[in-house]
């Protein structure tokens, strides 16, 4: 009797062991598999760029000119997208895409930066990592070939977020960034443009650029139309968001004016919980209304989606306040929004399905 | 029959006219009265100031030193409060209060500004009007006696929001602001403090200041403790909010670093719909988390009160993110909050009942 009970208990124990084993065999790989997919999901990648917003119809672009702008935006998109496909981070991608636009004279950033009242160059840029809220920005720099890369160095290799002027240039040089002679930026077109702006000429359209192309957005006589800036937002395969913006500011600017581009929360912001945003427009309006962070906080605190938040902030709130411009924004699902309240915005994206679209109006 | 009908209609019309008249007699004065009270209500006035947050217990302030700090904060409060009582705007009040703190060597702003790595002064300031979202800010200025007044000139007399460096100084001079020789700022105490910071000395406590007083908040060897900044928020009798912040930044700072103080939405923000905020702390944390606007957007989008919003952002969100510092904030009812996550914050207020309280720990 005792023996039978022992056997019975033993066989019961065996059954439990067997079931445990079965569970382990079935369950552990499931857990490992699901953990591995959770830790490194092949998150759908996506990217968007802008090249400034404004009264673009006034530019009267020829089909060739339109093509040149669109082609450059496409190259910028493809450059960042290729990095994302290779498994690089969204921070790498937005920096590389903005570099393409900075190296092109068509856009008001880097080489194409507009001239200040004193005939100098003063460039601003920012970058932000949505994964850890780290950010870097640089303002009033005159000799750094790629300001957005300097902003990245501020983020990655300093304890600061924003550096300006000569100190910022010293830092960039110490970090090994390419420093160029200011003549690199002084394209014939920009000199003529400044001369006309100084004369108060209302039509500063000029085709004497070295590329034969006019520069966008800052071309009309109305200072309200001079919204040249470039920017990029992206999501990488790890599900991390990033944003970057770079600008030469406004033509004929004075008194060391800094706009919204290098200001975290105003012209540039990224947060994995909500979205990544890069703005372009009349910088002062974007500063006063903390536009980039406003979109993020609406999503976080009102629990609304990116479409509703970005369109409300740009098309209703900013418009009602007299502000002009637009933004590109991407959320954690790779959904992209590009609202603007101006005639047009140079913009494009490659969505999570790999489809590229580039537009101006 | 016809006549009777006419009379009847006529008398009906008369009745309507009479009723209209009655309504006008009773209604119009009511509307006028309620409009006049709405337009110019004797809104309860209130004001708050801060003089920086940090590891203040390490300062080992003597009772005399504590008294000097508290007395100065009280003078700053009373200065702004007196203007509010006279019917001046909250913008006037916050500027005047910050001027008092800028003119005192005890605080890290204006005359008491700390020295940079290169032994220079680089001051930042901002001001914002909650009535119309207008804002002005100035960064990296070296010769302007009262940077917050320059920020106000940027707001009132330029189309820009932020100016930096030499251009900002040119603008301030053109606006007739007082420009001083840099020797004005170079107190013996600051020179010793910088020498010690350069030597990596962890204890830079020094009493050789011209006033015999040590400077606060930036006194300990730990760079994390150097949170000197001054600020003020107020509500005027018209129910309008304003905020202002001024700082010398951090001791031994390099590369043209700019902190949160002059950045709208980060260290300074005001909006009649929600609150006015001035921050102090490790500037980079306040930039990354857009602290001042975060408090405002929580109030606006989550419909929570100032107490909950300000305390959540400083004591939970910022603390969890490793950020250190505090803020002063006031809402449209004149309710004041002064949360901080450091050992102390030099702070004080005069509330809507006219009661003054000044505290350090």
């Amino acid at each position: 009797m005792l023996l039978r009970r022992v056997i019975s208990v033993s066989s019961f124990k065996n059954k439990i062991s067997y079931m445990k084993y079965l569970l382990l065999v079935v369950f552990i790989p499931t857990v490992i598999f699901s953990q591995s997919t959770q830790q490194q999901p092949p998150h759908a990648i996506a990217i968007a760029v802008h090249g400034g917003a404004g009264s673009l119809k006034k530019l009267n672009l020829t089909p060739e000119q339109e093509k040149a702008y669109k082609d450059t935006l496409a190259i910028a998109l493809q450059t960042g997208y290729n990095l994302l496909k290779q498994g690089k981070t969204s921070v790498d991608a937005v920096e590389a895409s903005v570099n393409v636009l900075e190296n092109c004279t068509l856009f008001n950033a880097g080489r194409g930066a507009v001239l200040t009242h004193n005939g100098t160059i003063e460039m601003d840029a920012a970058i932000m990592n949505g994964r850890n809220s780290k950010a870097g920005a640089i303002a009033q720099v005159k000799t750094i070939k790629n300001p957005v890369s300097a902003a990245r160095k501020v983020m990655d290799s300093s304890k600061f977020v924003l550096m300006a002027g000569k100190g910022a240039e010293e830092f960039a040089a110490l970090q090994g960034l390419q420093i160029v002679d200011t003549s690199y930026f002084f394209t014939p077109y920009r000199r003529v443009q400044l001369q006309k702006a100084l004369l108060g000429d209302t039509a500063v359209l000029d085709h004497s650029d070295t590329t034969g192309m006019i520069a966008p957005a800052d071309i009309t006589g109305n200072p309200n139309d001079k919204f040249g800036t470039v920017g990029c937002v992206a999501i990488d395969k790890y599900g991390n968001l990033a944003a970057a913006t770079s600008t030469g500011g406004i033509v004929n600017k004075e008194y060391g004016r800094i706009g919204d581009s290098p200001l975290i929360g105003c012209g540039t912001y990224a947060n994995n919980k909500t979205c990544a945003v890069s703005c372009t427009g009349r910088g002062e309006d974007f500063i006063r209304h903390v536009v980039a962070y406003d979109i993020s906080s609406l999503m976080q605190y009102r629990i609304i989606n990116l479409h509703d938040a970005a369109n409300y902030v740009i098309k209703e709130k900013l418009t009602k306040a007299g502000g002009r411009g637009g933004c590109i924004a991407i959320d954690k699902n790779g959904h992209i929004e590009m609202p603007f309240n101006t005639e047009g915005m140079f913009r494009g994206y490659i969505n999570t399905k790999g489809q590229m679209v580039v537009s101006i109006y």
Side-chain angles (χ1 to χ4, degrees), chain A:
Chain A
M1 182 71 181
L2 185 69
L3 187 69
R4 274 178 67 186
R5 272 180 66 188
V6 169
I7 290 170
S8 155
V9 168
S10 156
S11 100
F12 184 59
K13 273 188 179 165
N14 281 341
K15 271 181 194 161
I16 291 176
S17 294
Y18 180 70
M19 281 173 71
K20 266 188 186 166
Y21 174 76
L22 248 179
L23 273 171
L24 286 174
V25 168
V26 176
F27 189 65
I28 288 178
T30 314
V31 169
I32 289 170
F33 181 74
S34 80
Q35 273 192 348
S36 69
T37 51
Q38 268 175 22
Q39 278 172 357
Q40 285 205 333
H43 198 288
I45 58 174
I47 190 165
V49 297
H50 72 78
S55 302
L56 303 190
K57 285 184 184 160
K58 290 185 191 159
L59 296 180
N60 283 322
L61 294 177
T62 64
E64 292 74 32
Q65 288 171 329
E66 262 199 51
K67 187 176 179 305
Y69 280 110
K70 287 185 171 177
D71 285 354
T72 313
L73 291 169
I75 295 168
L77 283 169
Q78 199 63 56
T79 302
Y81 192 75
N82 289 347
L83 292 177
L84 294 172
K85 272 205 296 189
Q86 292 161 25
K88 300 276 185 182
T89 67
S90 52
V91 173
D92 292 327
V94 297
E95 182 189 355
S97 287
V98 168
N99 282 165
V100 169
L101 301 172
E102 283 177 335
N103 293 343
C104 165
T105 55
L106 291 175
F107 299 96
N108 176 18
R111 182 153 202 210
V114 299
L115 302 187
T116 68
H117 182 75
N118 298 325
T120 60
I121 295 281
E122 282 178 8
M123 297 172 292
D124 308 329
I127 195 164
M128 187 160 187
N129 186 341
R131 182 173 60 80
N132 54 16
S133 292
K134 285 193 111 186
I138 208 142
Q140 288 187 327
V141 295
K142 301 177 182 202
T143 60
I144 300 169
K145 188 184 172 213
N146 291 109
V148 79
S149 298
R152 181 160 185 190
K153 285 286 184 190
V154 173
M155 175 170 78
D156 290 346
S157 309
S158 89
K159 58 190 172 186
F160 303 141
V161 170
L162 175 57
M163 296 182 187
K166 280 194 177 173
E169 294 193 326
E170 273 173 42
F171 174 79
L174 284 172
Q175 293 291 321
L177 284 175
Q178 195 174 347
I179 303 298
V180 289
D181 189 83
T182 48
S183 63
Y184 169 79
F185 304 100
F186 285 62
T187 60
Y189 165 69
R190 293 300 182 202
R191 280 198 289 268
V192 173
Q193 182 188 43
L194 175 64
Q195 283 308 313
K196 293 193 173 179
L198 287 170
L199 290 168
D201 196 335
T202 53
V204 290
L205 198 69
D206 191 273
H207 294 257
S208 60
D209 192 7
T210 45
T211 62
M213 299 298 304
I214 57 167
D218 51 316
I219 201 88
T220 66
N222 184 350
N224 292 337
D225 297 330
K226 295 168 184 166
F227 300 162
T229 299
V230 306
C232 183
V233 295
I235 187 162
D236 59 30
K237 72 177 209 181
Y238 316 103
N240 294 321
L241 298 173
T245 313
S246 183
T247 188
I250 50 175
V251 185
N252 198 14
K253 69 181 173 183
E254 291 180 279
Y255 308 128
R257 178 259 188 189
I258 296 175
D260 64 314
S261 303
L263 305 190
I264 300 304
C266 300
T268 308
Y269 186 72
N271 185 339
N272 271 9
K273 284 183 195 149
T274 53
C275 59
V277 184
S278 171
C279 299
T280 172
R282 200 159 52 197
E284 281 66 22
D285 302 324
F286 285 74
I287 298 174
R288 289 184 191 114
H289 299 284
V290 201
V291 168
Y293 187 69
D294 199 30
I295 294 171
S296 170
S297 62
L298 266 168
M299 290 178 70
Q300 189 169 10
Y301 300 143
R302 273 277 164 91
I303 328 283
I304 62 173
N305 64 30
L306 179 66
H307 172 270
D308 293 349
N311 281 279
Y312 170 71
V313 170
I314 298 293
K315 293 186 177 169
E316 294 198 35
K317 203 167 164 184
L318 189 72
T319 305
K320 206 175 277 179
R324 296 191 65 213
C327 76
I328 52 170
I330 190 166
D331 71 11
K332 58 187 173 182
N333 301 314
H335 178 80
I336 291 165
E337 290 291 331
M338 315 178 92
F340 54 93
N341 66 7
T342 47
E343 272 182 8
M345 179 166 80
F346 293 96
R347 65 201 185 279
Y349 63 80
I350 301 178
N351 65 17
T352 53
K353 293 172 188 163
Q355 298 159 326
M356 184 193 286
V357 175
V358 177
S359 325
I360 299 181
Y361 306 109

